[in-house]
Amino acid sequence: MAESTAPDRTPTRRGPDPRRRSERARTAILDAAAALMGEVGFARMTMEGIAARAGVGKQTIYRWWPSKAAVVLDVFQREAGGDSEPLPDTGDLAADLRTVLRATVDEYNTPETDRISRAFTAEVQHDEDFARAVTEDLLRPHMRAYKERLRSAREAGEISPDADLDVAVELLTGPLHHRWLLRTAPLTHDYVDVLVDLALRALRP
Amino acid sequence: MAESTAPDRTPTRRGPDPRRRSERARTAILDAAAALMGEVGFARMTMEGIAARAGVGKQTIYRWWPSKAAVVLDVFQREAGGDSEPLPDTGDLAADLRTVLRATVDEYNTPETDRISRAFTAEVQHDEDFARAVTEDLLRPHMRAYKERLRSAREAGEISPDADLDVAVELLTGPLHHRWLLRTAPLTHDYVDVLVDLALRALRP
Amino acid sequence: MAESTAPDRTPTRRGPDPRRRSERARTAILDAAAALMGEVGFARMTMEGIAARAGVGKQTIYRWWPSKAAVVLDVFQREAGGDSEPLPDTGDLAADLRTVLRATVDEYNTPETDRISRAFTAEVQHDEDFARAVTEDLLRPHMRAYKERLRSAREAGEISPDADLDVAVELLTGPLHHRWLLRTAPLTHDYVDVLVDLALRALRP
Amino acid sequence: MAESTAPDRTPTRRGPDPRRRSERARTAILDAAAALMGEVGFARMTMEGIAARAGVGKQTIYRWWPSKAAVVLDVFQREAGGDSEPLPDTGDLAADLRTVLRATVDEYNTPETDRISRAFTAEVQHDEDFARAVTEDLLRPHMRAYKERLRSAREAGEISPDADLDVAVELLTGPLHHRWLLRTAPLTHDYVDVLVDLALRALRP
DNA sequence: TGATAACCGAGACGGTACGTCTTGTCTTGTT
DNA sequence: AACAAGACAAGACGTACCGTCTCGGTTATCA
């Protein structure tokens, strides 16, 4: 998304020239978007608002991003720094998963994170390009981190050697995500513990 | 949502009188909304469009529903007919779950259903009242049906007597929902089979 | 206007039956209209507002009056009591005219009267039926009073025996009305004096 | 009204930048308003109608004019071309006034002009800003033309040297305007002749 | 080291939809 | 059958944003 366009020195009139892009404007836009995300949330944030706050022309936003969602995605990529942290590996899979998932639960219970995550989830539903970008840039790396930890556990014999690791990750995160997204019940550390327990029972050799 | 209000014993109550409501208008609005939902989807459907299509004043919609989402929710409640079907109970839990979840997967793979479900999911994210209504009226009955089947299985000794049935339901539907919602991988019958297998391994006594 | 329909005992289905009219409703409507006229003026007064204030159904207004203007006209007719006062006749035409026209100027300079008169003037412009009613019921009697005084003066030899009295009235009231209506200059007693002086110079034998 | 604002020396000024105004849009709006004025009249003309007819966004109208009346005023100012014609001066005041006032009567008797003039008169009654604009831009120049002709007559000794020319103008136009506005009697050339005769009798030395 | 193209800020533009308001008619009991 | 109440279809209101376009004014490459 955003500026996927390569250096592009062919005069084929493909889009704007990224070499001439104003770093000042780019930063101001992302800062403004980040601030507005926190203040009014994704839904009530407007392109006009971002432009005004950033002291930037609307065209400058539209030149570099196709949509509001794309701008916000870049906000996140900037903050995430790029790679996802690997999961801790103390040798005790259950303990490690509990640690990480409890932290996830705590994040979900933070109003700020909750709001932003919901905005992304909503946006992903009616913009397939955005969905792809979010999946590739945020979600996939996140799930890959889990997968690596499970692979290590599988090698250590903690879980069945023929377990499908992708499904295994979903078995852990799916129920949690479901409960958060649809607000069917409160998200607690206890719930994490029960979930990890069940999942590992399913996965053990 | 919408007209959940009971006969309204307090005469000081604000708002319109439901006894005088025009059934003709109500039906026309829901019909129009249903048609537009299929034709252009939730996001591109407008209140003005519904009103025009239904041959109704906009005010008549706003009088009885607070938002577009509320109208569409009523469309669903009308179609769902109220109760959720109970799950089949052949005595073989795994088989029954496979049957039902494969059907669910087929539904998710229908463009029409996919679109509407995504619209609801998106809407639920930025309207808490709507979220509550969807949860109570559509989601909760659906999950209750699963829970009943699992209870029956627990009584039959197929799953552990101390299993938490709410978590059990999430263990089955969470991963599926996650994969559908975030499009991380295709939804297939095979996936269902693997999932049911894993879940039951976690739940068995 | 208003209920110009005659007693109407023929069953020809011509309008409502005035014999069954509710005096209570009629009075409440006129009272409410009078109050609103003073509070918000003609333009911002609405049929809904009158009905609500009078504790009356809108239909009851529409049944008996064709428009907001008609209601207000009735307000005036009720207050005017019917006939226009005759002009004073001291034998000195110039003095009598000054007296009356100075009073007129004072009335025009009253915000309340100014507002209402302007409202009527405006309304008269785009409703020909209303115009006719206002002309016949308010304006004509008013001008007739002037005409009578001028006739008396003509008989007394104060003005030319072949003067057209209708034009004479307009010569006095026209300029005053023009200055008031179009706000081209302030309305003062001095102005009245100059005007009377000029008019009588035109009319003298 | 509308864009009376000078080059706008204060840079702190609110509102849009008139230098960037689209001449195309301005012209289209005035054309549309002029056409609608003739077709449906002022009262039934709407801002939405003007915008649609002009192929223009509503905001573009609201950006440059505060109200429907202001748009129509600009229509007139465009057509009036700015200055008012001076009155003919053949040396015979009575004849010149008869010529001009008969033409005025003919105009008032044209349905198109009648309708528009009434619309203005009505509008002037409940919008003081608009009233001021109409008075300054249309009425005042018109009356000034009369005043100039009367001044010339006064210098020629045709009317009294101490006549108040403003009042004199009103003495001529006031009665005519009154009769037209309130439809108390038909407007004819004969009436003009009688009126001119009377007025000059009042004004002669 | 200009020239010159592109980006930049600003914001006007044609549109669409919003949610509110009022109109005049229709409907539902009540008196 | 008139009444109070108020729902109804219609449609204009003035506002908010959308995404595109147009206007000078700065840069930053490249001839």
Side-chain angles (χ1 to χ4, degrees):
Chain A
M1 159 151 301
E3 58 247 87
S4 58
T5 40
D8 185 31
R9 52 205 58 206
T10 53
T12 37
R13 210 113 298 288
R14 291 287 79 221
D17 180 348
R19 289 169 314 182
R20 309 204 41 182
R21 182 171 190 178
S22 158
E23 180 57 23
R24 202 189 60 68
R26 191 184 141 274
T27 304
I29 289 164
L30 294 178
D31 288 349
L36 288 168
M37 198 77 195
E39 288 169 23
V40 303
F42 181 86
R44 287 209 305 283
M45 173 169 74
T46 67
M47 288 300 235
E48 303 222 308
I50 299 172
R53 176 100 165 216
V56 138
K58 281 199 286 175
Q59 197 61 258
T60 303
I61 306 184
Y62 284 110
R63 184 152 34 228
W64 302 109
W65 291 275
S67 67
K68 184 173 69 164
V71 176
V72 176
L73 177 58
D74 262 17
V75 169
F76 277 77
Q77 284 173 330
R78 185 175 64 161
E79 277 165 18
D83 283 326
S84 234
E85 294 273 283
L87 262 62
D89 190 347
T90 64
D92 178 349
L93 177 61
D96 292 347
L97 288 175
R98 272 195 291 268
T99 303
V100 171
L101 288 173
R102 285 174 171 201
T104 302
V105 159
D106 291 344
E107 283 227 315
Y108 277 147
N109 284 327
T110 307
E112 175 88 6
T113 307
D114 179 86
R115 182 161 50 184
I116 296 179
S117 301
R118 289 191 188 280
F120 265 74
T121 303
E123 201 51 27
V124 150
Q125 302 314 313
H126 36 261
D127 184 339
E128 217 153 327
D129 285 343
F130 182 61
R132 216 174 340 266
V134 169
T135 304
E136 293 311 319
D137 296 344
L138 294 180
L139 187 60
R140 198 81 76 192
H142 186 71
M143 295 182 72
R144 192 152 33 227
Y146 278 91
K147 200 169 165 185
E148 287 315 310
R149 181 64 187 84
L150 290 172
R151 192 191 313 281
S152 151
R154 189 171 62 184
E155 280 159 10
E158 283 189 288
I159 67 178
S160 165
D162 55 336
D164 180 327
L165 297 184
D166 288 310
V167 179
V169 173
E170 288 175 323
L171 201 66
L172 283 160
T173 59
L176 196 74
H177 186 261
H178 189 268
R179 181 170 280 205
W180 162 70
L181 189 80
L182 302 173
R183 300 179 243 233
T184 44
L187 281 183
T188 63
H189 286 192
D190 280 357
Y191 176 60
V192 165
D193 296 351
V194 171
L195 202 58
V196 167
D197 202 49
L198 275 174
L200 292 193
R201 198 182 310 211
L203 296 169
R204 71 183 167 207
Chain B
M1 165 156 296
E3 65 253 80
S4 58
T5 41
D8 185 31
R9 46 230 168 285
T10 53
T12 39
R13 208 79 188 83
R14 286 296 79 223
D17 179 349
R19 296 175 325 228
R20 309 203 36 194
R21 183 169 190 180
S22 159
E23 180 56 25
R24 203 190 60 68
R26 195 187 135 271
T27 305
I29 289 164
L30 293 179
D31 288 349
L36 287 168
M37 197 76 195
E39 288 170 24
V40 305
F42 181 86
R44 287 209 304 282
M45 176 170 73
T46 67
M47 289 300 238
E48 303 220 309
I50 299 172
R53 178 102 165 212
V56 137
K58 280 198 285 176
Q59 200 63 38
T60 301
I61 306 184
Y62 284 110
R63 182 151 36 228
W64 300 111
W65 291 276
S67 67
K68 186 173 67 163
V71 176
V72 175
L73 176 59
D74 263 14
V75 169
F76 277 78
Q77 283 173 331
R78 186 175 64 161
E79 277 165 18
D83 285 325
S84 231
E85 294 273 282
L87 261 62
D89 190 346
T90 64
D92 178 350
L93 178 62
D96 291 346
L97 288 174
R98 271 195 292 269
T99 303
V100 171
L101 289 173
R102 283 174 172 201
T104 301
V105 158
D106 291 344
E107 283 225 316
Y108 277 147
N109 284 325
T110 307
E112 175 89 7
T113 306
D114 178 85
R115 183 162 48 187
I116 296 179
S117 302
R118 288 190 190 281
F120 264 75
T121 304
E123 202 52 27
V124 151
Q125 303 316 311
H126 37 260
D127 183 339
E128 214 152 330
D129 286 343
F130 182 62
R132 223 179 328 274
V134 168
T135 304
E136 291 313 317
D137 297 344
L138 294 179
L139 187 60
R140 197 83 74 192
H142 186 71
M143 294 182 74
R144 191 152 34 228
Y146 276 91
K147 201 169 163 186
E148 287 314 311
R149 181 64 189 83
L150 289 173
R151 191 192 312 281
S152 151
R154 191 171 60 183
E155 279 159 12
E158 283 189 288
I159 65 177
S160 166
D162 55 334
D164 179 327
L165 296 184
D166 288 310
V167 179
V169 172
E170 287 175 323
L171 201 66
L172 282 159
T173 59
L176 196 75
H177 187 261
H178 188 269
R179 182 171 280 206
W180 162 71
L181 189 81
L182 301 174
R183 299 182 246 233
T184 45
L187 279 183
T188 63
H189 286 191
D190 280 358
Y191 176 61
V192 166
D193 296 352
V194 171
L195 203 57
V196 168
D197 203 49
L198 275 174
L200 292 193
R201 198 182 307 211
L203 296 169
R204 73 186 163 203
Chain C
M1 159 151 301
E3 57 249 83
S4 58
T5 40
D8 186 30
R9 52 206 58 208
T10 54
T12 38
R13 208 112 301 287
R14 291 287 77 221
D17 180 349
R19 291 168 314 188
R20 310 202 44 183
R21 183 171 189 178
S22 158
E23 179 56 23
R24 202 189 61 66
R26 190 183 141 275
T27 304
I29 289 164
L30 293 178
D31 287 349
L36 286 169
M37 198 75 194
E39 287 169 25
V40 305
F42 181 86
R44 288 210 303 282
M45 175 170 72
T46 67
M47 288 300 234
E48 305 224 305
I50 299 172
R53 176 101 164 215
V56 138
K58 280 199 289 173
Q59 197 59 257
T60 303
I61 307 184
Y62 282 110
R63 184 151 36 227
W64 302 110
W65 291 275
S67 67
K68 184 175 65 165
V71 176
V72 177
L73 177 59
D74 263 16
V75 169
F76 278 77
Q77 284 173 332
R78 185 175 65 161
E79 277 165 20
D83 283 325
S84 232
E85 294 273 283
L87 261 62
D89 189 346
T90 63
D92 178 349
L93 178 60
D96 291 349
L97 289 174
R98 273 195 291 269
T99 303
V100 172
L101 289 173
R102 284 174 171 200
T104 303
V105 159
D106 291 345
E107 284 226 315
Y108 277 147
N109 284 326
T110 307
E112 175 89 5
T113 308
D114 178 86
R115 183 161 49 186
I116 296 178
S117 302
R118 289 189 188 282
F120 265 75
T121 304
E123 202 51 27
V124 150
Q125 303 315 313
H126 37 260
D127 184 339
E128 218 154 324
D129 286 342
F130 182 61
R132 218 173 340 266
V134 168
T135 303
E136 293 311 320
D137 296 345
L138 295 179
L139 187 60
R140 196 82 75 192
H142 186 70
M143 294 181 74
R144 192 153 32 228
Y146 278 91
K147 203 169 162 185
E148 288 314 313
R149 182 64 189 83
L150 289 173
R151 193 191 313 282
S152 152
R154 191 170 60 183
E155 282 159 10
E158 283 190 288
I159 65 177
S160 167
D162 54 335
D164 179 328
L165 297 183
D166 288 312
V167 179
V169 172
E170 288 174 325
L171 201 67
L172 283 159
T173 58
L176 198 76
H177 186 261
H178 188 269
R179 183 170 279 204
W180 163 69
L181 189 81
L182 302 174
R183 298 181 244 232
T184 45
L187 280 183
T188 63
H189 286 192
D190 281 356
Y191 176 61
V192 165
D193 296 351
V194 172
L195 203 56
V196 168
D197 202 47
L198 275 174
L200 292 194
R201 197 181 311 210
L203 296 169
R204 71 185 165 203
Chain D
M1 166 158 295
E3 63 251 80
S4 58
T5 40
D8 185 31
R9 46 226 167 291
T10 53
T12 37
R13 208 81 190 78
R14 286 292 81 223
D17 181 348
R19 296 176 324 230
R20 308 201 38 193
R21 184 170 187 180
S22 159
E23 180 56 25
R24 203 188 64 64
R26 195 187 135 272
T27 304
I29 289 164
L30 293 179
D31 288 349
L36 287 168
M37 198 76 194
E39 288 169 25
V40 305
F42 182 86
R44 288 209 303 282
M45 175 171 74
T46 66
M47 290 299 237
E48 301 220 310
I50 299 172
R53 177 102 163 213
V56 137
K58 279 198 286 178
Q59 200 63 49
T60 301
I61 306 185
Y62 284 110
R63 181 149 39 225
W64 301 110
W65 290 277
S67 68
K68 186 174 65 161
V71 176
V72 176
L73 176 60
D74 263 15
V75 169
F76 278 78
Q77 284 173 329
R78 185 175 64 161
E79 278 164 18
D83 285 325
S84 232
E85 294 275 282
L87 260 64
D89 189 346
T90 63
D92 178 349
L93 178 62
D96 290 348
L97 289 174
R98 272 195 292 269
T99 304
V100 171
L101 289 172
R102 285 174 172 199
T104 302
V105 159
D106 291 345
E107 283 226 316
Y108 276 148
N109 284 324
T110 307
E112 174 90 6
T113 307
D114 179 85
R115 181 161 49 188
I116 295 179
S117 302
R118 289 191 190 280
F120 264 75
T121 304
E123 201 53 27
V124 151
Q125 303 315 312
H126 37 261
D127 184 339
E128 216 153 329
D129 286 344
F130 183 61
R132 224 180 326 275
V134 168
T135 303
E136 293 311 319
D137 297 343
L138 295 180
L139 187 60
R140 199 81 76 191
H142 186 71
M143 295 182 73
R144 192 150 34 225
Y146 278 91
K147 201 170 164 186
E148 288 313 312
R149 181 63 189 84
L150 290 173
R151 192 193 312 281
S152 152
R154 191 170 59 182
E155 281 160 9
E158 283 189 288
I159 65 177
S160 165
D162 55 332
D164 180 326
L165 298 184
D166 288 312
V167 178
V169 173
E170 287 174 325
L171 200 66
L172 284 159
T173 59
L176 196 78
H177 187 261
H178 188 269
R179 183 170 280 205
W180 162 72
L181 190 80
L182 301 174
R183 297 183 247 232
T184 45
L187 278 184
T188 63
H189 286 191
D190 280 356
Y191 176 61
V192 165
D193 297 350
V194 171
L195 203 56
V196 168
D197 204 47
L198 275 174
L200 292 194
R201 198 181 308 211
L203 297 168
R204 72 184 164 204

